[in-house]
Amino acid sequence: RKEVEQDPGPFNVPEGATVAFNCTYSNSASQSFFWYRQDCRKEPKLLMSVYSSGNEDGRFTAQLNRASQYISLLIRDSKLSDSATYLCVVNPPSGGSYIPTFGRGTSLIVHP
Amino acid sequence: DTAVSQTPKYLVTQMGNDKSIKCEQNLGHDTMYWYKQDSKKFLKIMFSYNNKELIINETVPNRFSPKSPDKAHLNLHINSLELGDSAVYFCASSRGQQVGETQYFGPGTRLLVL
């Protein structure tokens, strides 16, 4: 089982739709979870951190479920500009450090 | 005023050559990273340095040698390039090495080995 798994998609949704992505991780001792966004041929950029209590930033909501070992990202009222690849990041322990481990990303296409 | 910059942006070279990629950050961060993103889009960490000291080395072939002359720079030298080295290489930095620090990525270097 891969350390971090995401459905690669693509998720093809109309403007205004609500879409949700999940990301599962295998190491229960993992710390610190994030969602990054990567546009085509660009670098990843932090979208939001993910806290146990859940957190919201405008149209974006992130949640962590430690019992089931997954994180989620919900996007409400999708915009064309939300089209991108969404990467989850988990930090499993390894040899005394925590190693930032990226999922392969979920592709979102928002169409008019 | 680019925060994390890399040179070159594109690199096309023959198998067997040696090449270097440079990275600089002007954020005053202590920690820098090299990542490789392959054709399947997996972004995998290769190395991490904190204040010029190596802290993460993720079983990368020893043809890859990072060098950090100071905490604002982390260069990557690759010897005897192979076809499988073709990828996008991203440099990143974070304020510190504590788990959970936000990482800021450079624009990437697209390496093609022929």
Side-chain angles (χ1 to χ4, degrees):
Chain A
R1 184 180 169 192
K2 289 198 172 63
E3 288 263 27
V4 181
E5 293 207 64
Q6 293 183 252
D7 180 347
F11 285 62
N12 212 316
V13 303
E15 266 185 295
T18 295
V19 63
F21 312 133
N22 279 346
C23 167
T24 58
Y25 60 94
S26 60
N27 191 324
S28 60
S30 296
Q31 300 290 329
S32 291
F33 306 86
F34 301 89
W35 284 101
Y36 277 72
R37 171 192 168 131
Q38 186 173 24
D39 291 292
C40 190
R41 299 184 67 77
K42 297 284 191 182
E43 72 272 22
K45 290 185 179 171
L46 179 70
L47 180 66
M48 56 198 304
S49 304
V50 188
Y51 304 120
S52 299
S53 52
N55 49 304
E56 192 173 305
D57 182 2
R59 298 181 292 109
F60 298 84
T61 301
Q63 295 213 296
L64 166 63
N65 186 316
R66 279 200 182 272
S68 301
Q69 292 180 211
Y70 72 86
I71 63 172
S72 63
L73 177 68
L74 181 80
I75 306 175
R76 287 181 299 278
D77 189 24
S78 300
K79 311 286 184 200
L80 297 177
S81 57
D82 293 335
S83 298
T85 298
Y86 292 84
L87 306 166
C88 69
V89 186
V90 173
N91 287 269
S94 175
S97 298
Y98 286 87
I99 308 296
T101 304
F102 283 71
R104 66 175 292 182
T106 297
S107 175
L108 172 66
I109 301 169
V110 182
H111 58 81
Chain B
D1 59 347
T2 308
V4 182
S5 58
Q6 296 179 227
T7 53
K9 267 191 103 164
Y10 300 94
L11 189 49
V12 181
T13 188
Q14 301 281 344
M15 255 195 329
N17 284 350
D18 303 338
K19 290 291 178 188
S20 291
I21 308 172
K22 296 188 175 183
C23 178
E24 176 180 1
Q25 53 96 2
N26 63 7
L27 297 166
H29 287 169
D30 283 343
T31 307
M32 295 184 74
Y33 311 79
W34 277 111
Y35 285 86
K36 177 181 179 180
Q37 189 168 42
D38 61 23
S39 57
K40 290 191 169 66
K41 306 298 183 191
F42 274 108
L43 191 65
K44 191 158 170 53
I45 191 166
M46 301 171 70
F47 302 102
S48 175
Y49 272 69
N50 186 67
N51 227 342
K52 303 194 296 176
E53 286 195 27
L54 181 68
I55 52 170
I56 295 174
N57 181 344
E58 280 292 283
T59 57
V60 178
N62 58 15
R63 298 182 297 103
F64 291 78
S65 48
K67 280 196 171 48
S68 183
D70 55 62
K71 70 175 195 177
H73 294 85
L74 181 62
N75 304 323
L76 184 66
H77 187 76
I78 316 171
N79 286 328
S80 303
L81 279 155
E82 299 177 358
L83 294 177
D85 297 333
S86 296
V88 182
Y89 291 84
F90 286 102
C91 175
S93 74
S94 63
R95 197 172 45 177
Q97 61 175 322
Q98 293 81 4
V99 65
E101 292 280 357
T102 300
Q103 294 187 44
Y104 296 83
F105 284 80
T109 295
R110 281 155 183 80
L111 171 64
L112 178 60
V113 182
L114 301 174

